[in-house]
Amino acid sequence: MSAQNQRPKKKKKTNNFLVQGSILAAAGILVRIIGMVYRIPMQNKIGSAAMGIYSSAYYIYNIMLLLSSYSLPLAVSKMVSARVALEQHKNAYRIFKSSLFFSLISGGIACLLTFFGADFFASKVLNEPGASYAIQVLAPTIFVMAFLGTLRGYFQGLGTMMPTAVSQVLEQIVNAGVSIVAAFLLFDIGMDRDIDKGTKIYANAYGAAGGTIGTAAGALIAFLFCILIFLMYRRVLRRQMRRDNTVMLESYGNIARVLTATIIPVIISGTVYNISSLIDNSIYGFYMKSTGESAYYMANWGVYSGQYYLLINVPIAISNALASSMLPALTRTVAEGKKGEILRKVNMTIRFSMLVAIPAAVGLTVLGYPIVSLLFRQDTRLGGDLLFLGSLAVVFFSLSTITNGILQGINRMKTPVINAMISLALHVGILAVLLYGLDMGIYGVVIANLFFGLTMCIFNSVSITKYLHYRQEVKKTFLLPFLASAIMGGLAYGTYYLLNMFTKSNSIACVAAVLVAVMVYFVLLLLFRCVSEKELRSMPMGGRVSRIAKKLHLL
């Protein structure tokens, strides 16, 4: 009888893990799509150079966010989920309160450093003085994001991704609307000032700063939403704490030490992992200056960040979401000492990530030029070239993100740090050779970026094998999805080529090719048995999809 009761409970936990991951993944995709959509009119209005400044300012913002609070959701969710697994709700709440205090200190310091150091970062690090306006606008956002990260991490630790997912979508919607309006208005103001002064700097600088105003507005709205959800949850929290019979309450001093010990490796790992873009930006800027082509520096970087990087990050968002949702679930399983369940979660997460990343990489490779031409008006040839060359980064960065989360979830916090540092050192060396030795320009940045993702995958995979004695399943995770993606890519390109030839419309041909690609890949996944009916049903709306598949004799 007990065995029968345990099976549904175990299945429910597994399904809940998939559903929560899928919710966050869906929100992540929607957020990336909104981010892509609003940047298209921005880039078409303010141009590649202004978008280059906008993206460069964001690198500084992201690094300061990483150093101050970006790791808080991960660290808080990890610590809270471990206490919740033991039904220590009072200690979980103490962790939350300690994290809020940490947010106040770290977020405040980072905000002040960013605001008053904007000129230094813009001129000395980015080699673009015009970025200082955008950096200063982003500074207060760091303070808000510190508290927002703590709230999101607390909810994730409790096992629900819904507040994080909804707040992310809400944040991006507000961000999109405000950014477009502010960028358009300030760009025009900057152009008028350039005409009055006979300069060519204010339009780009003001346009980039306008785009960052939306980030601050979106973060504030998301923060207020999470506060509202927390206030609504307080009644449940009080009831849980009344039932909590924990005798030994953790001291705030001990919590602070554990929190710091958890956060620091994540900060270092995340910073090393993400600082590569800032280093690429800086090295490429000085390289362009040394070749006497500084005038093309921000325009090329705007295409790289505003077209290539923007598009490959849409599918990578799924891996980020899966890693975020997996961490508390994996931490809880580690705390319960269930070795078999740990291996199943690892396998499931990697497989789910690759089922999306591999076809996305193939699709962006074969349809890169049409997609860029459909979305953007400027520099589409260069954007298409970069996508064709570097779409494989989707697979590498998706896998490295997932494996980072796995290592953190099994309490190997230092391992991703060491792996990231080694990969970064190799990356910088490769980039220097490609730029200064082979004179490959912005294409060298793409290749070096690919190499960084690949080395992270290799090092992390070796570490997971070492610590978990985990053996990666290859056929259903890599080989069959790649075969299905290759067939999908050929049919999608053929569809685009024929329709474009007859209709002379890139838009019609491109949209039709994407739809064909999605349908063909889904059918092939089922025909090749990459996904079982049980796995399909465990996903959101999986029951309905499986019924349709059965009617089509695909299952």
Side-chain angles (χ1 to χ4, degrees):
M1 182 71 179
S2 60
Q4 288 178 344
N5 290 337
Q6 284 177 359
R7 279 196 203 101
K9 187 175 179 183
K10 182 177 180 182
K11 183 179 178 182
K12 185 177 179 182
K13 282 186 177 181
T14 302
N15 289 352
N16 184 61
F17 161 67
L18 266 181
V19 169
Q20 294 295 330
S22 300
I23 289 171
L24 205 56
I29 294 171
L30 184 57
V31 165
R32 288 298 196 281
I33 291 174
I34 296 171
M36 181 178 67
V37 169
Y38 88 79
R39 290 191 187 192
I40 292 168
M42 270 182 59
Q43 176 141 2
N44 291 335
K45 166 69 176 181
I46 66 179
S48 296
M51 285 302 292
I53 295 174
Y54 171 83
S55 300
S56 298
Y58 254 94
Y59 293 139
I60 299 297
Y61 164 74
N62 283 333
I63 294 301
M64 298 305 291
L65 198 63
L66 279 163
L67 292 173
S68 60
S69 60
Y70 193 78
S71 58
L72 276 172
L74 188 149
V76 174
S77 67
K78 180 177 171 61
M79 293 178 66
V80 168
S81 63
R83 274 67 177 180
V84 169
L86 302 174
E87 297 187 355
Q88 297 179 2
H89 297 285
K90 291 179 181 178
N91 283 332
Y93 187 61
R94 282 178 162 242
I95 290 169
F96 173 64
K97 290 194 291 185
S98 299
S99 302
L100 287 176
F101 181 73
F102 185 92
S103 302
L104 176 67
I105 302 299
S106 63
I109 293 173
C111 170
L112 294 173
L113 285 174
T114 304
F115 185 84
F116 291 106
D119 289 333
F120 169 79
F121 291 130
S123 58
K124 301 299 182 183
V125 178
L126 299 175
N127 198 33
E128 178 49 63
S132 61
Y133 299 105
I135 294 172
Q136 286 184 321
V137 172
L138 287 167
T141 314
I142 298 172
F143 188 64
V144 176
M145 288 298 293
F147 292 98
L148 178 58
T150 295
L151 284 163
R152 285 172 171 169
Y154 183 60
F155 289 126
Q156 290 172 21
L158 295 176
T160 174
M161 304 296 158
M162 191 61 74
T164 298
V166 175
S167 67
Q168 284 178 345
V169 174
L170 187 63
E171 175 187 358
Q172 192 70 315
I173 291 172
V174 174
N175 181 8
V178 175
S179 292
I180 291 173
V181 174
F184 277 45
L185 290 175
L186 288 181
F187 182 75
D188 289 338
I189 292 171
M191 284 192 70
D192 292 339
R193 189 167 184 183
D194 279 332
I195 293 171
D196 291 339
K197 292 182 172 288
T199 58
K200 294 183 179 180
I201 57 173
Y202 291 106
N204 291 337
Y206 283 14
T212 59
I213 292 175
T215 305
L220 181 60
I221 293 297
F223 175 55
L224 295 175
F225 171 79
C226 285
I227 288 178
L228 177 63
I229 296 297
F230 178 76
L231 293 175
M232 293 169 62
Y233 174 74
R234 286 183 70 180
R235 183 181 299 177
V236 176
L237 177 62
R238 290 194 188 102
R239 188 164 62 246
Q240 289 175 335
M241 292 176 70
R242 281 196 300 268
R243 292 200 301 260
D244 187 356
N245 296 319
T246 303
V247 178
M248 295 293 293
L249 295 179
E250 296 182 60
S251 67
Y252 287 110
N254 182 63
I255 290 173
R257 285 191 293 272
V258 176
L259 185 65
T260 303
T262 305
I263 284 174
I264 288 177
V266 179
I267 286 176
I268 298 173
S269 176
T271 302
V272 173
Y273 191 73
N274 288 274
I275 204 173
S276 62
S277 295
L278 179 60
I279 292 175
D280 290 351
N281 193 343
S282 183
I283 293 176
Y284 180 67
F286 284 106
Y287 160 77
M288 291 295 281
K289 189 175 182 180
S290 70
T291 59
E293 296 182 341
S294 297
Y296 301 102
Y297 161 42
M298 272 302 155
N300 287 349
W301 194 260
V303 175
Y304 172 80
S305 58
Q307 293 183 18
Y308 165 74
Y309 213 73
L310 180 67
L311 289 171
I312 68 168
N313 267 290
V314 174
I316 291 174
I318 296 177
S319 295
N320 288 327
L322 283 172
S324 297
S325 63
M326 175 193 64
L327 185 64
L330 193 58
T331 301
R332 199 173 296 124
T333 308
V334 170
E336 294 168 351
K338 299 177 180 177
K339 179 68 181 292
E341 187 65 19
I342 292 172
L343 296 178
R344 277 191 292 273
K345 279 187 168 68
V346 170
N347 178 62
M348 189 186 308
T349 310
I350 293 176
R351 274 191 61 209
F352 193 88
S353 175
M354 291 300 99
L355 286 175
V356 176
I358 293 173
V362 172
L364 288 173
T365 301
V366 299
L367 296 176
Y369 290 101
I371 290 173
V372 171
S373 298
L374 174 68
L375 299 176
F376 303 99
R377 289 203 305 258
Q378 300 178 9
D379 304 309
T380 55
R381 173 54 60 179
L382 177 59
D385 287 342
L386 297 184
L387 269 180
F388 182 79
L389 178 64
S391 295
L392 198 57
V394 172
V395 176
F396 295 154
F397 280 100
S398 294
L399 188 55
S400 62
T401 300
I402 287 294
T403 51
N404 260 4
I406 291 169
L407 289 168
Q408 290 162 352
I410 62 173
N411 297 318
R412 296 290 175 177
M413 306 297 289
K414 294 180 181 178
T415 305
V417 177
I418 296 170
N419 294 343
M421 285 182 170
I422 297 172
S423 297
L424 182 63
L426 294 172
H427 166 77
V428 171
I430 291 291
L431 180 60
V433 171
L434 293 174
L435 290 181
Y436 291 97
L438 301 178
D439 198 27
M440 294 189 67
I442 196 68
Y443 299 102
V445 178
V446 172
I447 295 172
N449 191 50
L450 278 172
F451 184 80
F452 177 69
L454 174 61
T455 53
M456 280 293 297
C457 291
I458 294 171
F459 294 146
N460 283 352
S461 297
V462 170
S463 299
I464 290 171
T465 301
K466 175 183 176 182
Y467 295 122
L468 289 179
H469 303 291
Y470 173 74
R471 187 172 182 178
Q472 179 60 53
E473 187 278 330
V474 174
K475 183 179 178 181
K476 286 187 176 182
T477 305
F478 297 104
L479 296 181
L480 290 179
F482 177 76
L483 178 59
S485 299
I487 298 171
M488 173 210 76
L491 291 174
Y493 182 77
T495 301
Y496 172 80
Y497 180 81
L498 291 174
L499 279 178
N500 190 49
M501 183 173 62
F502 287 112
T503 65
K504 306 298 182 184
S505 172
N506 177 70
S507 302
I508 294 174
C510 185
V511 171
V514 171
L515 292 175
V516 166
V518 172
M519 290 187 291
V520 167
Y521 181 69
F522 174 72
V523 170
L524 289 174
L525 276 187
L526 298 180
L527 290 177
F528 291 167
R529 300 292 186 265
C530 294
V531 180
S532 66
E533 182 180 351
K534 181 180 177 182
E535 291 168 337
L536 191 61
R537 285 184 175 276
S538 67
M539 300 173 189
M541 298 182 69
R544 185 178 302 175
V545 174
S546 64
R547 286 193 295 273
I548 295 172
K550 280 188 173 181
K551 288 181 180 179
L552 297 173
H553 303 290
L554 297 174
L555 281 176

